[in-house]
């Protein structure tokens, strides 16, 4: 069996993607000079929130995910971020390849709420690999990429913010069910409000949650 090792050397926002997209730069090494004809690689990415500290503002913003800071000893559990796959071309020795990860700004998604709550610093990520490698000098051998292959990487928070700002500059995003949208539209129409921002501000002021 070929021994594979993985590392993540960089992560960046894709400036030319149609939607929010991160690109992870991976280095893959096959020991012993094994010829790898191709590799169908899968990657699961998790956030490991217990591997960094948080200031008071961040802790307050993370309350809906993890509860009060006093409970974090048991509630600060890993958060699923993404799953992605890539077909790695043939190589001998090692190769670098891009893993493209489409993202969302949907704040109903736990990972998006986590990223949004962070002021600065890094996001502690764990990349877990699996898949199939096609190897052999004189023919094809099919080998699994073992499930225990994983690598930690710290993604700067500014990379996430840069990606979001490319597509939603200065904006947020909320998903609502159809009946709630219909009610909001009726509220906006009755009051001849010029925008959704004005509609939400009107509701906040009526509830006493916002002062100009």
């Amino acid at each position: 069996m070929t021994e594979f090792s993985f590392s993540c050397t960089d992560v960046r926002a894709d400036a030319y993607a149609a939607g929010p997209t991160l690109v992870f730069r991976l280095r893959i090494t096959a020991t012993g000079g094994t010829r790898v004809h191709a590799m169908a690689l899968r990657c699961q990415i998790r956030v490991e929130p217990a591997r960094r500290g948080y200031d008071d503002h961040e802790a307050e913003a993370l309350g809906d995910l993890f509860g009060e800071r006093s409970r974090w000893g048991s509630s600060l559990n890993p958060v699923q971020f993404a799953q992605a796959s890539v077909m790695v071309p043939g190589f001998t020795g090692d190769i670098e390849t891009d893993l493209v990860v489409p993202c969302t700004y949907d704040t109903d998604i736990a990972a998006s709420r986590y990223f949004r709550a962070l002021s600065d610093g890094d996001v502690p990520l764990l990349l877990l690999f699996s898949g199939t490698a096609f190897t052999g000098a004189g023919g094809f051998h099919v080998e699994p990429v073992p499930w225990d292959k994983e690598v930690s990487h710290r993604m700067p928070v500014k990379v996430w913010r840069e990606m979001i700002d490319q597509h939603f500059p200065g904006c947020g995003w909320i998903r609502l069910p159809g009946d709630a949208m219909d009610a909001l539209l009726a509220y906006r129409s009755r009051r001849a409000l010029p925008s959704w921002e004005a509609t939400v501000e009107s509701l906040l002021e009526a509830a006493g949650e916002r002062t100009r």
Side-chain angles (χ1 to χ4, degrees):
M1 296 288 290
T2 305
E3 180 66 25
F4 296 103
S5 61
F6 298 84
S7 62
C8 180
T9 61
D10 189 34
V11 58
R12 59 180 172 83
D14 188 340
Y16 304 103
T21 302
L22 292 173
V23 180
F24 290 81
R25 189 67 173 173
L26 304 179
R27 178 178 289 122
I28 306 169
T29 302
T31 59
T34 301
R35 172 63 178 165
V36 179
H37 299 285
M39 178 184 290
L41 185 66
R42 297 185 297 273
C43 182
Q44 180 183 154
I45 306 175
R46 297 178 186 169
V47 178
E48 300 222 300
R51 289 176 44 222
R52 63 158 283 168
Y54 304 90
D55 61 30
D56 290 341
H57 176 76
E58 291 171 332
E60 182 179 358
L62 290 168
D64 65 329
L65 284 178
F66 306 121
E68 297 293 329
R69 194 191 282 268
S70 60
R71 297 177 47 213
W72 283 10
S74 59
S75 66
L76 213 63
N77 297 315
V79 175
Q80 179 70 18
F81 172 34
Q83 296 192 57
S85 59
V86 61
M87 183 60 72
V88 181
F91 67 95
T92 300
D94 59 34
I95 191 173
E96 290 198 358
T97 190
D98 286 338
L99 178 70
V100 178
V101 179
C103 302
T104 177
Y105 197 35
D106 185 347
T107 52
D108 282 342
I109 304 300
S112 296
R113 298 207 304 276
Y114 176 84
F115 295 139
R116 183 176 174 83
L118 302 183
S119 303
D120 203 356
D122 297 330
V123 179
L125 299 176
L126 182 66
L127 287 72
L128 301 102
F129 298 101
S130 62
T132 304
F134 303 91
T135 65
F140 282 99
H141 301 284
V142 179
E143 301 185 39
V145 176
W147 284 90
D148 63 349
K149 297 302 178 182
E150 59 185 48
V151 62
S152 297
H153 184 74
R154 304 191 76 88
M155 179 181 74
V157 173
K158 65 181 181 181
V159 172
W160 173 267
R161 295 194 179 279
E162 175 188 343
M163 177 191 69
I164 294 302
D165 287 344
Q166 287 174 1
H167 299 276
F168 307 105
C171 299
W173 191 93
I174 299 175
R175 180 175 58 187
L176 295 174
D179 55 350
M181 283 297 302
D182 291 342
L184 276 175
L185 181 58
Y187 179 90
R188 175 179 172 177
S189 298
R190 286 195 301 270
R191 287 159 178 77
L193 296 168
S195 66
W196 287 116
E197 179 181 2
T199 302
V200 173
E201 287 182 346
S202 174
L203 289 167
L204 289 173
E205 289 172 4
E209 295 292 334
R210 180 172 180 134
T211 58
R212 291 186 180 275

